[in-house]
Amino acid sequence: MPIVLNTDDGIEVSSVDEYMKMISKLNENKKNPNAQLFFRGQAVDYWDIRPSIFREKMLGVEHNLMSEPLRQIPNEFIHFGDSFEMMEKYQHYGMCTRLLDMTTNPLVALYFACEHHGQVEYKNLESNNTESLSPTGIVYFKEENMPLKYNDLDVKVISRLACYDLDNVCTLEQIVKQLCEDKIISKEQTKRWSDEKGLLEFIYICQSVCTVLPMMNNDRLIRQSGAFLLPGKFNVAYRGESLRDAVITKAESNLREEFDKSFFYIRDDNKEKIRIELEYCNISEANLFPELEYQLKYIRKSYEQQRRAVSYFVKFEKLTQE
């Protein structure tokens, strides 16, 4: 089915200079002057905003994905204190998780929005015809008054829930007790979450989406000014009269509502130009991805324009005669 690009709430970006002027206005017009802005760049306008574990339909085996690396390569995680730190490392190495990458640097988000993507069929609303186009890039943003730290209670609870198999009809009471046994919450907190009022507080955490400032424990995260959205999005359903017996299950969701209604968009024919401008700002693959494989890829790409044709091999005639 042809895609319709709706840019009604969008602001077009055609240069880095223009973009940064608009970012300055965003900062000036924040609802709370002390709030922090977070950004996410996506290369394709029609993509939902979903963590990889939602996109790849792996949520049902999330508990296995969280535990199996610990079993197979325990030395990689020997110094990790909690589930969020492990999830952060999984994310770094390409494992699908419920973390969604964001950045506090608007130029980094712009870089990712300017990636090229293969052509797809778009519908032109004026002519009603379809045409093949390379997708438009998008930079989403959100204002956050109180971003959480990696070791805050809400983050620890949601991260630990990701490790549980919740297909086995788990009640709220059982899960709260399990969190206590796993030393995620204290006995005092367990007691607080034992009645209806306390369980409503627990449900609120389970269904919230946290903006998290992580432990900056790797070079890529530092260079990309990384941050994360950590979605709870757990469903809770009554099974009897008591809330303690309500069942909690995992659920997926589009996180578009977590970001401002407005967004920036970059048409494909401007992406390469902006990428070149970003290099002058030290925003490039080599800078954002410090690992060797990316460094070599960047060097190779930088020399592609200097390629020269060479002759096809022909064996020297005298050697042929001999």
Side-chain angles (χ1 to χ4, degrees):
M1 184 175 178
I3 299 156
V4 177
L5 173 59
N6 185 349
T7 58
D8 290 348
D9 296 313
I11 305 164
E12 185 170 5
V13 173
S14 58
S15 72
V16 171
D17 181 61
E18 176 185 44
Y19 176 68
M20 289 310 297
K21 286 177 181 176
M22 291 185 281
I23 296 297
S24 293
K25 288 182 180 179
L26 273 187
N27 271 302
E28 291 170 4
N29 297 326
K30 287 187 298 190
K31 296 174 184 176
N32 178 356
N34 297 318
Q36 191 168 359
L37 289 173
F38 292 84
F39 303 87
R40 176 172 173 80
Q42 295 191 172
V44 178
D45 51 86
Y46 58 82
W47 283 347
D48 288 340
I49 305 179
R50 295 176 186 269
S52 57
I53 205 159
F54 293 177
R55 293 195 309 267
E56 297 175 25
K57 307 298 181 184
M58 298 286 279
L59 194 59
V61 292
E62 182 183 33
H63 57 289
N64 291 325
L65 298 181
M66 289 295 293
S67 63
E68 195 61 15
L70 291 175
R71 185 185 73 81
Q72 293 197 24
I73 41 176
N75 290 339
E76 288 288 334
F77 306 96
I78 195 167
H79 298 299
F80 284 68
D82 58 38
S83 302
F84 181 82
E85 289 180 66
M86 290 187 292
M87 196 183 298
E88 186 182 333
K89 185 165 184 174
Y90 293 164
Q91 181 84 350
H92 176 75
Y93 285 102
M95 171 74 83
C96 56
T97 75
R98 67 172 56 233
L99 292 178
L100 185 82
D101 290 306
M102 295 193 301
T103 177
T104 56
N105 186 337
L107 292 176
V108 172
L110 182 62
Y111 172 88
F112 286 111
C114 287
E115 287 184 317
H116 288 289
H117 189 80
Q119 291 191 335
V120 294
E121 293 294 316
Y122 281 86
K123 184 175 182 179
N124 188 315
L125 292 178
E126 295 180 0
S127 65
N128 211 31
N129 295 325
T130 60
E131 52 185 335
S132 293
L133 297 171
S134 293
T136 295
I138 304 287
V139 174
Y140 298 102
F141 59 89
K142 72 188 301 278
E143 184 178 320
E144 184 62 56
N145 293 327
M146 294 181 64
L148 300 179
K149 300 289 180 60
Y150 65 94
N151 56 354
D152 283 336
L153 177 63
D154 294 24
V155 175
K156 293 172 72 172
V157 167
I158 294 173
S159 301
R160 193 61 183 177
L161 288 177
C163 301
Y164 296 159
D165 181 0
L166 298 183
D167 285 342
N168 296 324
V169 193
C170 299
T171 66
L172 292 180
E173 184 176 44
Q174 290 170 332
I175 290 301
V176 170
K177 287 181 179 178
Q178 187 64 54
L179 288 169
C180 182
E181 289 176 14
D182 292 341
K183 296 182 170 47
I184 303 301
I185 60 175
S186 65
K187 290 182 179 179
E188 291 75 16
Q189 185 69 64
T190 305
K191 185 176 180 181
R192 218 164 28 246
W193 285 351
S194 63
D195 58 21
E196 298 275 317
K197 182 179 178 182
L199 284 172
L200 287 175
E201 178 187 327
F202 175 61
I203 292 171
Y204 177 80
I205 292 174
C206 293
Q207 298 196 326
S208 64
V209 178
C210 303
T211 299
V212 187
L213 296 172
M215 180 183 291
M216 306 300 273
N217 56 12
N218 66 71
D219 285 343
R220 187 194 297 184
L221 202 59
I222 293 168
R223 294 192 187 198
Q224 296 183 9
S225 303
F228 297 108
L229 275 188
L230 173 66
K233 300 297 183 182
F234 295 89
N235 285 337
V236 176
Y238 272 109
R239 192 175 61 169
E241 293 184 1
S242 172
L243 193 55
R244 288 192 296 270
D245 296 325
V247 173
I248 180 170
T249 55
K250 295 182 179 181
E252 63 175 85
S253 176
N254 182 1
L255 302 182
R256 176 65 182 93
E257 64 184 18
E258 298 299 320
F259 292 85
D260 196 275
K261 183 181 178 182
S262 300
F263 56 89
F264 299 104
Y265 68 94
I266 307 94
R267 299 192 187 277
D268 186 71
D269 53 6
N270 282 320
K271 286 184 176 181
E272 188 60 31
K273 168 181 171 287
I274 291 174
R275 276 278 179 105
I276 292 170
E277 291 177 355
L278 285 170
E279 291 215 17
Y280 296 128
C281 304
N282 210 24
I283 303 294
S284 67
E285 185 173 44
N287 180 259
L288 298 179
F289 297 91
E291 297 85 357
L292 179 61
E293 61 183 298
Y294 292 101
Q295 298 292 314
L296 296 179
K297 182 180 174 183
Y298 177 79
I299 292 170
R300 174 191 162 178
K301 187 176 179 181
S302 67
Y303 279 93
E304 284 180 353
Q305 299 301 320
Q306 301 180 34
R307 285 181 293 193
R308 296 188 300 269
V310 297
S311 302
Y312 191 78
F313 171 74
V314 177
K315 199 167 186 179
F316 185 55
E317 187 175 343
K318 186 171 177 61
L319 292 177
T320 305
Q321 291 174 351
E322 292 176 353

